[in-house]
Amino acid sequence: PNPADAMVTVTFISDIESSYSVKLTDLTGRVIKTEVDNATIGENNYVMNLTGIAKGMYIVILQKGDAIFKAKLIVE
């Protein structure tokens, strides 16, 4: 959900098994949280715990290999 409060789910499709990282940054680019996991072939759902994250606007960055996807996230 966006806006989110306690958790946010990042969903993506992968055509290969490989590692990926999810970063949460503030609007100045400062990294608030970084987590690494392994993707499976097909749909992947990554749940990020937002406990302790201050209310505001952030950028979620999913990086898998050379591919980088960014999305705005509002934490309430």
Side-chain angles (χ1 to χ4, degrees), residues 38-74:
N38 292 311
T40 59
I41 295 173
E43 184 174 288
N44 291 266
N45 292 305
Y46 179 80
V47 178
M48 180 180 278
N49 185 339
L50 300 174
T51 302
I53 303 296
K55 294 179 181 182
M57 186 177 293
Y58 296 89
I59 305 293
V60 176
I61 303 169
L62 170 68
Q63 182 169 1
K64 185 173 162 298
D66 293 335
I68 299 174
F69 305 95
K70 297 180 180 181
K72 289 183 182 177
L73 172 67
I74 298 172

Side-chain angles (χ1 to χ4, degrees), residues 6-31:
M7 298 196 174
V8 65
T9 302
V10 178
T11 301
F12 64 96
I13 305 277
S14 180
D15 55 357
I16 61 170
E17 291 183 6
S18 66
S19 66
Y20 65 92
S21 68
V22 178
K23 292 181 186 176
L24 183 68
T25 67
D26 64 16
L27 295 181
T28 66
R30 184 173 58 105
V31 177

